[in-house]
Amino acid sequence: ATSALHILLSPDGYYTYLDIPKPPPTHKSLLSKDGNGKDSKSTVDKTQIEKNYRKKSLRLHPDRPGGDEEAFRILERAKNVLLSDKLRKEYDMIGLDLEEEDHHDDDDNGHDDNDDDDKKDATNSGSHDSLISQMASSTVAAILQLAVRTAMMAATSLIVTRYKYLVIPAILFMLYTSFQIFRARSKVGPDGPITLYDIASPMMICFGIICMYYGRNFGSASEGEEMSEGIDTNTSSWSKTFWMGEALLMTIFAINTLASREASTFHPTLPIGIGLYILFACIALYIRGKGWRYATFLAIELSFALIAVLVFPIMEMILEEIMNEKLRKVGERVRQYSKVMNESYQVRLEEMGKLGGGAGVDMKKSSRNDSKNSLNEMD
């Protein structure tokens, strides 16, 4: 059992102990200069694996004489790894099983159903998202959320603030929302998760809508000035008041977006609010309530989302290939080191055997001389 455990834990020991020939590498790494990257996607004889596993398991079963529980467990793990294409590919890179997961499958159901094992591996691999995948998901979600806020801002600027019959319900709805938040904060107390900003946010949105409506309908230049300058009063709907309200709404939307993200530690403060307001004031000065400019910003944001969707998978593939290449090199070093250690161990065993044999002959000669001397004394 000790020898079996030693073989199983050595590089490529799963193949060695189960008497399964290791498949040659068939996939060439994209990053390998000589084109000899080792990514063995070759198939193995799964029937032979099952057959050899049953033979070896009879020797190592804990209930049999000479059996060993640890060696039997690793033998079962070896069988599961070699039967799974995904686990075998990872094992072939370095020659060692780094996961060491326990698989206690039922002998009657799990050993004869390889498709179930592959499905289980696929499920387990899908449940662990890589860091790049998480970054991609967060980035795309943030960009799409920004695009939604931009669309909401465009609808407010182009539609809601243009008509009085839409402005009044919007203001009433925001005031009602602020009142409900105030009631909820009164119940949980000032130390709860609801802050004063949560109450003031709908009220500031109301103020911004009022400024935009007033600036669009009453805050522009006088009709006489517009007529003298040849400006159509029906299209001249921008003013400083509208600009201030538009910048305020953009700022509130941005703060709410940052504060509403999951696991966010962002807390709105006055300096942050002032800084964002200056930033969005510059943006609002360019947009000036124009629909095609909002559409341009929305198209840019959606383009960034599309680029993120395309770029992050490519980055993940490149990084995965780099890591696999590193693991292959580490596996080669591990195999070389194991080979050197085994050769050194065999040499030492031979030397100890020779020394042990010579000592045995000397002991035999000394015992014969002692016996002769004792006989002479008796004579």
Side-chain angles (χ1 to χ4, degrees):
T2 304
S3 176
L5 189 61
H6 175 74
I7 295 174
L8 286 168
L9 294 178
S10 62
D12 299 324
Y14 289 177
Y15 291 103
T16 304
Y17 190 76
L18 287 173
D19 296 328
I20 302 297
K22 183 179 178 181
T26 59
H27 175 67
K28 294 183 178 181
S29 173
L30 298 176
L31 301 179
S32 180
K33 296 181 180 179
D34 57 357
N36 294 325
K38 296 181 179 179
D39 188 5
S40 61
K41 190 68 175 179
S42 304
T43 58
V44 294
D45 190 352
K46 295 185 178 182
T47 304
Q48 189 66 29
I49 294 175
E50 293 280 2
K51 182 179 178 181
N52 293 356
Y53 167 77
R54 283 191 285 268
K55 286 183 181 179
K56 303 290 185 179
S57 62
L58 292 177
R59 302 177 189 174
L60 299 179
H61 199 281
D63 296 337
R64 298 178 66 89
D68 184 82
E69 183 178 357
E70 181 67 13
F72 181 78
R73 183 187 68 82
I74 297 180
L75 176 63
E76 185 179 8
R77 171 64 178 172
K79 184 260 301 184
N80 291 330
V81 169
L82 296 185
L83 288 178
S84 171
D85 292 337
K86 176 181 177 295
L87 295 178
R88 187 175 69 254
K89 176 183 174 182
E90 296 175 354
Y91 180 78
D92 290 346
M93 288 183 188
I94 194 171
L96 298 175
D97 190 6
L98 301 179
E99 295 184 2
E100 281 292 335
E101 295 177 354
D102 294 335
H103 290 269
H104 302 288
D105 299 330
D106 184 62
D107 292 340
D108 296 333
N109 298 327
H111 293 170
D112 297 330
D113 194 0
N114 297 333
D115 294 337
D116 292 342
D117 292 338
D118 294 337
K119 291 179 181 179
K120 183 185 296 184
D121 294 333
T123 303
N124 291 335
S125 63
S127 61
H128 301 285
D129 294 333
S130 65
L131 179 61
I132 298 296
S133 299
Q134 294 178 2
M135 291 175 59
S137 301
S138 300
T139 302
V140 173
I143 295 175
L144 291 179
Q145 192 173 16
L146 181 61
V148 170
R149 300 284 183 175
T150 303
M152 292 173 57
M153 186 66 216
T156 303
S157 177
L158 300 174
I159 300 175
V160 175
T161 59
R162 187 180 294 274
Y163 304 104
K164 177 174 63 175
Y165 300 104
L166 295 178
V167 170
I168 295 175
I171 293 175
L172 294 177
F173 176 75
M174 287 295 139
L175 292 176
Y176 176 77
T177 302
S178 178
F179 176 70
Q180 292 297 326
I181 296 174
F182 174 77
R183 290 184 59 186
R185 188 173 187 270
S186 301
K187 293 180 180 179
V188 299
D191 297 331
I194 302 176
T195 62
L196 292 176
Y197 171 79
D198 297 327
I199 301 174
S201 175
M203 301 178 65
M204 287 189 287
I205 292 176
C206 288
F207 181 74
I209 292 175
I210 293 173
C211 290
M212 292 174 70
Y213 175 75
Y214 179 82
R216 181 182 290 277
N217 294 277
F218 307 104
S220 59
S222 63
E223 184 177 353
E225 294 177 354
E226 292 177 351
M227 293 294 291
S228 63
E229 295 177 3
I231 301 176
D232 186 3
T233 57
N234 294 326
T235 60
S236 178
S237 58
W238 186 87
S239 66
K240 294 181 180 179
T241 308
F242 181 90
W243 166 61
M244 293 172 56
E246 191 175 29
L248 179 60
L249 255 65
M250 289 181 180
T251 304
I252 300 301
F253 282 174
I255 294 176
N256 293 343
T257 300
L258 295 174
S260 63
R261 292 185 57 81
E262 295 183 0
S264 175
T265 58
F266 176 79
H267 298 288
T269 59
L270 184 59
I272 293 176
I274 294 175
L276 289 176
Y277 183 81
I278 295 174
L279 173 64
F280 287 108
C282 298
I283 296 176
L285 189 62
Y286 167 75
I287 294 178
R288 290 176 172 262
K290 302 296 182 180
W292 67 271
R293 291 177 179 171
Y294 276 111
T296 302
F297 271 91
L298 189 60
I300 293 173
E301 292 164 357
L302 294 178
S303 299
F304 277 119
L306 181 60
I307 292 173
V309 170
L310 297 176
V311 168
F312 276 103
I314 297 175
M315 290 177 56
E316 185 174 11
M317 291 174 59
I318 294 174
L319 291 177
E320 183 179 2
E321 188 63 30
I322 293 174
M323 292 300 299
N324 290 344
E325 192 68 22
K326 295 293 184 182
L327 287 176
R328 293 185 193 102
K329 292 181 180 179
V330 171
E332 292 175 1
R333 298 294 298 271
V334 169
R335 293 183 181 96
Q336 293 175 1
Y337 180 77
S338 176
K339 182 179 180 181
V340 171
M341 292 298 295
N342 287 333
E343 292 176 353
S344 176
Y345 180 70
Q346 292 296 332
V347 170
R348 291 184 62 186
L349 285 179
E350 293 177 359
E351 293 178 353
M352 292 176 63
K354 292 179 181 179
L355 293 175
V361 172
D362 294 339
M363 291 178 64
K364 289 180 180 179
K365 290 181 178 180
S366 62
S367 63
R368 289 176 182 175
N369 293 331
D370 292 339
S371 63
K372 288 180 180 181
N373 294 332
S374 62
L375 287 174
N376 292 331
E377 290 177 357
M378 290 178 67
D379 293 339

